[in-house]
Amino acid sequence: MNKEQLLNIKEKTYPLLLDRLKSEGYIIDGENICPKGKFYESQTRIVLRNCDVINPESIEEYIARDGYLALEKSLHSVSRQEVIDIIKDSGLRGRGGAGFPTGIKWESAFVQEADQKYVICNADEGDPGAFMDRSVLEKDPHAVLEGMAICGRAIGASKGFIYVRAEYPKAVKSLMNAIEEAEKLNLLGDNIMGTDFSFSISLRLGAGAFVCGEGTALMESIEGKRGMPRNKEFRTTTRGLWGKPTVINNVETFANIAQILNKGSDWFKSIGTEKSTGTKVFALVGKINNSGLVEVPMGTTIREIVYEIGEGIQDGKKAKAVQTGGPSGGCIPTRLFDTGCDFESLKAIGSIMGSGGMVVMDEDDCMVDVSRFFLEFSVDESCGKCTPCRIGNKRLLEMLDDITKGRATEETIKKLEELSEIVAATSLCGLGQSSPNPILSTLKYFPEEYYAHVGENKTCPAKKCKGVLKYIITEKCIGCTKCARNCPVSCISGEVRKQHVIDQDKCIKCGQCKDACPVGTIILA
């Protein structure tokens, strides 16, 4: 395979692709192609440019969209150092969460002297509600393979691994097919495109451990060991997989590479902000009218994403907060919705970009319960290697349980904040260091909800935490006895056609009485 052959495939396939897309009602504006609808038209699609556009099982359709031309360029038109310089100049930062400059990471591995180097694609997407990586792997797998091959060429690596969740069987199948297709056309394998560069890619399936999204734990897992973080004595670009220089980037980062080489670093820098260039893909979920994957320029405000692309909150309710960054992120109140979604801006308000989860919450959500939900996830997923994460997060969860169940005092809140800061400062890896973020951000922006749970009249303003609420039968009760007949612990008494009463000492707060009441006279208060 050479450049002329790639262009011949493009010339043959592109008109057929356009005809199909036109017949299906796609919006076609030069190179910009997207499904019809405001949700898509309001986006800037670089990473998602081929998703739902090409057939992921057809390498010809990927080539029709300039696929593998960037790899050809890296092999024949520019040197390895020039490839790295282009990526450095573009300002591309890792999209997996930390935001480390991609070009600097590649250069660090490039200058190492070693008989073997590795490239790893971190596709271990574990954040609740996140599905960015999965969509790219399923719908545009060659973009990731091409990005990895370019990285391999640049740093001098001959072997790549994609660490992908076994819970993504469709993505695994898509990747296996794409690797096979690329090898047949000599775009992967030995002596790619007639050069002395050889690069192979293998899959490694993760068993669903969230901690294996952390780079060193991921490498331990690939090596056949238990997935636990390493002490950070060396950068992975110095001593990584099997002690060799290793570059780890995530799916979204690699999916940007070919476009940057094809269109230039200046083009990429023209999108986004000065320090956060390009676009970011968010999984917009929660109490939102239009949910799904959203790709927007860095710096786009939360308000624009929620109200313009997402078209506002479900059922006409008011937004309360947006949580970004998954279990490691923070909850952002509506008064800060004009904050831009870029690395610096989100960090300044106590949240993170993370891999791109964006959960929208409305007035019915309790921020204490939200913190408890995310922390429970972190406790379950902790590897247990370091004491602050293993023990500290467990104690934090117990305090949150006490708050939501009416067993806490104001002193509990003080201890909660103090221990959160200790866990964040002393944990070994990013999981433990960031796990208190949901607590610290909600304490900062929604302190009144915490104190309502522990005050003299313990209550949950959002009516979510049943442990501090009571079921009450109002004076509108018609005395039909349905509530009493459906109560599993027989705590409701009263005469026929007269107001009934709930014995609060016996009530288990199951809600069956409320569900059974035909006139809606039972309320949580």
Side-chain angles (χ1 to χ4, degrees):
M1 182 62 63
N2 55 38
K3 185 175 182 179
E4 184 179 350
Q5 290 172 315
L6 285 173
L7 292 175
N8 286 339
I9 292 173
K10 176 180 177 178
E11 184 179 352
K12 179 181 177 181
T13 309
Y14 191 62
L16 300 175
L17 175 62
L18 281 185
D19 288 343
R20 175 174 66 80
L21 295 173
K22 287 176 182 177
S23 69
E24 294 175 3
Y26 278 67
I27 303 297
I28 301 174
D29 180 16
E31 289 187 5
N32 298 318
I33 301 174
C34 69
K36 192 173 184 179
K38 183 180 178 182
F39 183 78
Y40 296 101
E41 294 168 27
S42 301
Q43 300 183 36
T44 301
R45 293 163 74 86
I46 298 175
V47 173
L48 302 179
R49 68 189 296 268
N50 288 331
C51 293
D52 297 313
V53 172
I54 66 170
N55 175 4
E57 296 182 357
S58 170
I59 192 171
E60 289 80 9
E61 289 199 2
Y62 178 72
I63 292 173
R65 295 274 283 158
D66 294 331
Y68 289 105
L69 286 176
L71 176 59
E72 191 278 337
K73 180 179 180 179
S74 74
L75 291 169
H76 294 102
S77 302
V78 293
S79 69
R80 293 164 60 193
Q81 183 63 60
E82 286 174 323
V83 171
I84 292 171
D85 289 341
I86 291 170
I87 301 302
K88 281 173 63 178
D89 187 56
S90 73
L92 175 66
R93 296 169 65 175
R95 300 300 197 247
F100 190 83
T102 304
I104 292 176
K105 179 183 287 189
W106 288 19
E107 188 168 55
S108 176
F110 168 67
V111 299
Q112 301 299 318
E113 295 290 337
D115 58 347
Q116 178 67 61
K117 298 179 184 180
Y118 297 102
V119 176
I120 297 177
C121 176
N122 183 349
D124 190 60
E125 184 174 52
D127 290 0
F131 51 99
M132 300 78 65
D133 292 354
R134 188 191 73 191
S135 295
V136 175
L137 295 175
E138 291 178 357
K139 299 175 181 180
D140 193 17
H142 288 286
V144 178
L145 302 186
E146 185 176 11
M148 291 179 67
I150 292 169
C151 178
R153 168 64 175 170
I155 71 169
S158 61
K159 181 70 177 175
F161 293 95
I162 301 177
Y163 190 89
V164 59
R165 299 196 140 233
E167 297 97 327
Y168 286 177
K170 189 175 179 180
V172 171
K173 181 180 178 182
S174 179
L175 284 168
M176 292 176 67
N177 176 73
I179 291 170
E180 184 179 345
E181 282 189 311
E183 289 175 342
K184 286 180 180 178
L185 294 184
N186 190 225
L187 298 169
L188 286 179
D190 295 331
N191 304 115
I192 296 173
M193 294 187 179
T195 67
D196 61 355
F197 173 59
S198 299
F199 188 76
S200 62
I201 295 177
S202 302
L203 302 186
R204 291 294 184 270
L205 305 188
F210 181 67
V211 73
C212 284
E214 195 275 341
T216 61
L218 182 153
M219 290 188 293
E220 290 283 293
S221 181
I222 290 178
E223 291 177 7
K225 305 169 188 173
R226 181 181 176 187
M228 300 174 76
R230 300 172 180 172
N231 292 324
K232 306 299 189 296
E233 298 178 51
F234 305 97
R235 289 191 178 276
T236 59
T237 51
T238 302
R239 295 189 189 179
L241 190 64
W242 287 298
K244 304 295 184 180
T246 304
V247 164
I248 304 178
N249 286 126
N250 83 324
V251 169
E252 187 178 343
T253 309
F254 281 124
N256 274 294
I257 298 300
Q259 291 303 299
I260 294 173
L261 255 66
N262 281 334
K263 298 181 180 180
S265 58
D266 287 340
W267 163 79
F268 195 75
K269 286 191 293 186
S270 71
I271 304 167
T273 68
E274 182 181 355
K275 294 183 178 180
S276 297
T277 57
T279 61
K280 181 71 186 83
V281 180
F282 292 97
L284 185 63
V285 296
K287 308 290 185 65
I288 191 80
N289 283 317
N290 261 344
S291 60
L293 291 184
V294 175
E295 185 173 2
V296 294
M298 287 277 199
T300 302
T301 66
I302 297 170
R303 191 177 304 280
E304 289 176 273
I305 296 173
V306 171
Y307 290 101
E308 293 183 21
I309 299 177
E311 296 189 357
I313 312 304
Q314 292 175 352
D315 303 321
K317 294 190 175 181
K318 294 180 180 179
K320 177 182 278 189
V322 160
Q323 203 265 358
T324 64
S328 304
C331 296
I332 303 166
T334 52
R335 67 179 182 272
L336 295 178
F337 272 19
D338 289 319
T339 300
C341 290
D342 57 76
F343 292 105
E344 287 75 28
S345 299
L346 290 177
K347 182 179 179 180
I349 60 173
S351 191
I352 61 172
M353 182 86 69
S355 58
M358 183 174 284
V359 183
V360 181
M361 303 165 200
D362 68 12
E363 56 197 285
D364 293 335
D365 288 303
C366 170
M367 304 315 294
V368 183
D369 186 57
V370 166
S371 295
R372 200 201 67 80
F373 168 79
F374 282 113
L375 191 69
E376 183 176 39
F377 178 87
S378 296
V379 168
D380 288 342
E381 295 294 338
S382 173
C383 73
K385 185 172 183 177
C386 73
T387 302
C389 183
R390 182 182 70 249
I391 304 298
N393 276 330
K394 183 68 175 176
R395 298 291 86 84
L396 289 174
L397 182 60
E398 289 170 355
M399 283 187 255
L400 286 172
D401 277 336
D402 286 343
I403 292 171
T404 58
K405 292 177 181 177
R407 301 193 295 255
T409 64
E410 290 190 9
E411 186 64 25
T412 307
I413 296 176
K414 293 178 183 177
K415 291 180 180 179
L416 181 74
E417 184 171 16
E418 181 182 1
L419 183 55
S420 293
E421 292 172 348
I422 292 172
V423 171
T426 58
S427 291
L428 174 63
C429 82
L431 188 153
Q433 292 164 8
S434 58
S435 57
N437 281 350
I439 299 174
L440 292 170
S441 62
T442 51
L443 277 171
K444 180 179 180 179
Y445 296 122
F446 304 93
E448 69 282 355
E449 294 202 22
Y450 280 88
Y451 286 101
H453 283 72
V454 302
E456 185 177 348
N457 300 314
K458 290 184 171 70
T459 186
C460 174
K463 308 298 185 208
K464 277 282 186 181
C465 303
K466 292 182 180 180
V468 294
L469 297 172
K470 298 177 182 179
Y471 282 100
I472 296 174
I473 302 175
T474 67
E475 58 187 14
K476 295 180 180 179
C477 174
I478 59 176
C480 67
T481 73
K482 280 189 176 181
C483 57
R485 285 183 276 129
N486 279 275
C487 178
V489 292
S490 302
C491 69
I492 302 176
S493 59
E495 299 178 18
V496 177
R497 296 191 181 89
K498 291 186 178 181
Q499 183 178 355
H500 283 47
V501 178
I502 298 175
D503 186 337
Q504 299 297 335
D505 292 332
K506 293 182 180 180
C507 179
I508 60 172
K509 302 176 184 180
C510 64
Q512 290 193 39
C513 57
K514 188 176 186 297
D515 295 337
C517 181
V519 290
T521 61
I522 301 178
I523 62 171
L524 270 171

